[in-house]
Amino acid sequence: MSEKETSPTILQFAPLNSSVDEGFWHSFSSLKLDKLGIDDSPIPITGFYGPCSHPQVSNHLTLLSESLPLDEQSSVASTSHGNRNKCPVPGILYNTNTLESFDKLDKQSLLKAEANKIWDDIQSGKALEDPAVLSRFLVISFADLKKWSFRYWFAFPALVLDPPASLVELKPASEYFSSEEAESVSAACNEWRNSDLTTDVPFFLVSVSSDSKASIRHLKDWEACQGDHHKLLFGFYDPCHLPNNPGWPLRNYLALIRARWSLETVWFFCYRESRGFADLNLSLVGQASVTLASGESAETVPNSVGWELNKGKRVPRSISLANSMDPTRLAVSAVDLNLKLMRWRALPSLDLNVLSSVKCLLLGAGTLGCQVARTLMGWGIRNITFVDYGKVAMSNPVRQSLYTFEDCVGGEFKAVAAVKSLKQIFPAMESSGVVMAIPMPGHPISSQEEDSVLADCKRLSELIESHDAVFLLTDTRESRWLPSLLCANANKIAINAALGFDSYMVMRHGAGPTSLSDDMQNLDMNKTNKQRLGCYFCNDVVAPQDSMTDRTLDQQCTVTRPGLAPIAGALAVELLVGVLQHPLGINAKGDNSSSSNGGNNDDSPLGILPHQIRSSVSQFSQITLLGQASNSCTACSETVISEYRERGNSFLLEAINHPTYLEDLTGLTELKKAANSFNLDWEDDDTDDEDVAVHM
């Protein structure tokens, strides 16, 4: 073998790279704005890193929101101990108040000062007690909080050995240890990593006895290890993945070894892992030669290097977080956290894009409307339109959660006040309010009112067409007729909620008539049970009529137990979410609580999807019901929808002005006549007793 092949080479180290989580800058911005002000004193921070865990990717030293001090008086940053992937490393942050001050910082002096701290810790023995100080780092920064932009530069001070360490040998750990030794070393490393007391201690000793038994000990136990080992290696968590280079932490480690124990030959162990366990194929074992220059003592302070390169250049990094650090955008991220966490385990198939893009129309901004709106926001729905004609009354705020006393005094329309409230709760809401009355059958109008009423009909139709889901939350039964008809005509999702004194009903309307709906022409009707679900009026044998005239005060107001609206409103939203997450959407069949195997459980991640939910709070009971669409329905039948499409406004005017028109049109009038004229003929029982056979 030639002399060139046997001569040792200079040991080269893979630089450590930085990573800054956006949460760090957000926390720092709050600290700067709320507490630090113009104080530019150095701030203690904590970085985190762990051993390499992937054969092709190195780990970084990371700054997180918890890297900053707990408060401005704290002399140390908050640390997280016992986390195997977050070994804490002490650092210092120098933040300047101006960009000019940042550019004028004496970077070499700052680097040297931190390197001297490392050297002092080596000389004093602190590095043996807390070896994480060997990886001490510093950051300089300038934060432009007006533009949410940050300029920063990391330094990882490394003591320069003179002469430099030379590499004698470097190989995978699996090739250095025998099979018995490798098994024992792996077990010892895993035990070290699994203990809360040692998992985040990044520097250690690996001792292998002559009988191939390995143990791991703290650096401060070095003297105790002498003479009782076959092999003794200086181990450290190596963030680097490269097969031919150890990571940056080894530099100061070698300086410690040479200064404390005057060793000239060092066996080191670059610990790396895979899937949370020691990986001796990825880990490295090497031998380095560390000597002192002639005339140099072990106490001489070495020079230092360590400023991080940015794409190969000695320049700072910069980042703009305007999009994510604006409070409104941060709020969007924060309020969606619960929904995103649902997808981790509970609901992996939850489609958040469907929820965030759906447009909801709330007809009625009273007690139910307020509860529905709040629950929709919780599900990540951002686009809500209110339709209501009333103003906020003094009795409303205690029951209707979107209103305040100021809304009452100011005489605010509910539709307007509700929008304002939603945007105060969450500024990213896309909400609007429409002040209008809903035309109702059984409430005749004069010829002078026709244009205004028809304009309202047109406006309501346009609103329903431009939204994906409609909630019917109005006070009267007849005010739900026109929205039910328009939803059936447009094949829109309609959710109905109604309150009694101590009972409530929540239901979803089925799709529009099959023969009139283009969306259902190619639908496999076997999947929808062949029959569409009914609407709010399908079980009626009379047309909706005036329920407001000649009523006492308690009959005019919605007198109900206060707990009903939150329950019914929440269930109404849950029904909508179930429909949106179901593959058949509005065409999904109706389940009940006794459905075998949970009804739609195989299709919907949220469980069964009922048609109707009815409850009595006085009995604390709840049932789910299923009702099919009626051919004589005054709102969603094919007869009514066809008539509406053919006659338009004239049909609407006739339905509004003539209470019996809808009954005549759908055949309910004839049905009632037939029922009234139907007589039961009872046969006399003249059977003699003796004609009855008795079997004993």
Side-chain angles (χ1 to χ4, degrees), residues 530-542:
K530 295 185 179 181
Q531 286 185 289
R532 63 188 183 92
L533 300 178
C535 79
Y536 187 60
F537 296 93
C538 279
N539 290 332
D540 289 359
V541 293
V542 294

Side-chain angles (χ1 to χ4, degrees), residues 222-421:
W222 184 81
E223 283 81 7
C225 292
Q226 302 307 303
D228 64 348
H229 65 272
H230 173 60
K231 297 176 180 178
L232 181 64
L233 298 88
F234 292 86
F236 71 100
Y237 294 166
D238 190 357
C240 173
H241 77 282
L242 299 177
N244 299 316
N245 299 92
W248 197 255
L250 182 59
R251 296 196 66 149
N252 292 336
Y253 202 11
L254 292 177
L256 166 71
I257 295 168
R258 190 183 74 168
R260 294 294 300 180
W261 300 303
S262 301
L263 298 180
E264 293 187 358
T265 300
V266 178
W267 284 95
F268 58 86
F269 174 50
C270 306
Y271 175 79
R272 302 169 182 177
E273 59 188 21
S274 176
R275 299 181 184 274
F277 296 96
D279 188 339
L280 297 193
N281 292 317
L282 188 58
S283 301
L284 303 176
V285 170
Q287 182 183 10
S289 176
V290 184
T291 59
L292 292 173
S294 58
E296 182 184 7
S297 69
E299 289 78 24
T300 304
V301 180
N303 292 324
S304 58
V305 295
W307 285 105
E308 184 181 24
L309 299 181
N310 181 9
K311 298 180 180 179
K313 299 179 180 179
R314 294 187 73 249
V315 294
R317 301 173 187 267
S318 60
I319 185 172
S320 175
L321 301 181
N323 290 335
S324 62
M325 293 200 67
D326 174 78
T328 299
R329 292 182 179 271
L330 282 174
V332 172
S333 176
V335 299
D336 287 341
L337 178 62
N338 182 58
L339 297 174
K340 292 178 180 179
L341 291 180
M342 285 184 186
R343 298 187 57 180
W344 281 22
R345 299 190 187 194
L347 290 172
S349 61
L350 183 65
D351 191 340
L352 298 182
N353 292 329
V354 169
L355 296 174
S356 62
S357 62
V358 70
K359 297 180 179 180
C360 292
L361 178 64
L362 275 56
L363 302 181
T367 308
L368 278 171
C370 291
Q371 298 296 337
V372 167
R374 292 301 299 262
T375 311
L376 287 173
M377 294 172 69
W379 270 110
I381 293 172
R382 300 287 175 259
N383 198 311
I384 298 176
T385 300
F386 294 94
V387 173
D388 199 291
Y389 190 67
K391 293 185 177 181
V392 182
M394 287 292 183
S395 62
N396 293 154
V398 295
R399 296 178 296 109
Q400 301 176 9
S401 59
L402 295 181
Y403 308 127
T404 65
F405 177 75
E406 286 73 18
D407 296 325
C408 307
V409 176
E412 287 272 21
F413 282 101
K414 288 185 176 182
V416 176
V419 171
K420 186 190 304 181
S421 181

Side-chain angles (χ1 to χ4, degrees), residues 288-604:
S289 176
V290 184
T291 59
L292 292 173
S294 58
E296 182 184 7
S297 69
E299 289 78 24
T300 304
V301 180
N303 292 324
S304 58
V305 295
W307 285 105
E308 184 181 24
L309 299 181
N310 181 9
K311 298 180 180 179
K313 299 179 180 179
R314 294 187 73 249
V315 294
R317 301 173 187 267
S318 60
I319 185 172
S320 175
L321 301 181
N323 290 335
S324 62
M325 293 200 67
D326 174 78
T328 299
R329 292 182 179 271
L330 282 174
V332 172
S333 176
V335 299
D336 287 341
L337 178 62
N338 182 58
L339 297 174
K340 292 178 180 179
L341 291 180
M342 285 184 186
R343 298 187 57 180
W344 281 22
R345 299 190 187 194
L347 290 172
S349 61
L350 183 65
D351 191 340
L352 298 182
N353 292 329
V354 169
L355 296 174
S356 62
S357 62
V358 70
K359 297 180 179 180
C360 292
L361 178 64
L362 275 56
L363 302 181
T367 308
L368 278 171
C370 291
Q371 298 296 337
V372 167
R374 292 301 299 262
T375 311
L376 287 173
M377 294 172 69
W379 270 110
I381 293 172
R382 300 287 175 259
N383 198 311
I384 298 176
T385 300
F386 294 94
V387 173
D388 199 291
Y389 190 67
K391 293 185 177 181
V392 182
M394 287 292 183
S395 62
N396 293 154
V398 295
R399 296 178 296 109
Q400 301 176 9
S401 59
L402 295 181
Y403 308 127
T404 65
F405 177 75
E406 286 73 18
D407 296 325
C408 307
V409 176
E412 287 272 21
F413 282 101
K414 288 185 176 182
V416 176
V419 171
K420 186 190 304 181
S421 181
L422 287 193
K423 293 187 176 180
Q424 287 176 342
I425 296 168
F426 183 39
M429 287 298 297
E430 298 179 23
S431 184
S432 59
V434 178
V435 179
M436 65 169 286
I438 298 176
M440 298 177 284
H443 292 253
I445 58 174
S446 63
S447 57
Q448 291 83 3
E449 297 174 297
E450 287 184 1
D451 290 343
S452 175
V453 170
L454 291 177
D456 288 339
C457 293
K458 180 181 179 182
R459 191 176 188 186
L460 182 60
S461 176
E462 291 172 346
L463 285 170
I464 290 175
E465 289 281 356
S466 62
H467 288 76
D468 305 301
V470 182
F471 285 87
L472 280 62
L473 312 170
T474 53
D475 288 335
T476 64
R477 187 175 189 84
E478 60 267 30
S479 62
R480 302 172 186 231
W481 173 79
L482 182 57
S484 297
L485 181 151
L486 295 175
C487 286
N489 178 64
N491 206 34
K492 297 288 184 175
I493 299 172
I495 307 293
N496 213 317
L499 304 177
F501 168 67
D502 57 5
S503 62
Y504 62 81
M505 184 278 298
V506 178
M507 68 178 295
R508 59 187 175 99
H509 292 191
T514 304
S515 61
L516 298 177
S517 175
D518 295 335
D519 294 336
M520 299 182 66
Q521 289 300 318
N522 299 319
L523 182 67
D524 182 357
M525 293 305 293
N526 289 326
K527 294 182 179 180
T528 63
N529 221 17
K530 295 185 179 181
Q531 286 185 289
R532 63 188 183 92
L533 300 178
C535 79
Y536 187 60
F537 296 93
C538 279
N539 290 332
D540 289 359
V541 293
V542 294
Q545 299 174 357
D546 184 358
S547 64
M548 300 170 64
T549 303
D550 194 22
R551 295 293 189 270
T552 61
L553 183 60
D554 64 319
Q555 293 173 323
Q556 296 176 34
C557 299
T558 304
V559 178
T560 182
R561 290 173 62 162
L564 291 189
I567 301 172
L571 288 175
V573 175
E574 293 296 325
L575 267 187
L576 171 66
V577 175
V579 172
L580 294 175
Q581 297 295 313
H582 197 283
L584 293 179
I586 193 175
N587 301 305
K589 68 178 183 178
D591 297 314
N592 58 57
S593 55
S594 62
S595 298
S596 60
N597 299 322
N600 277 322
N601 274 346
D602 294 337
D603 299 319
S604 174

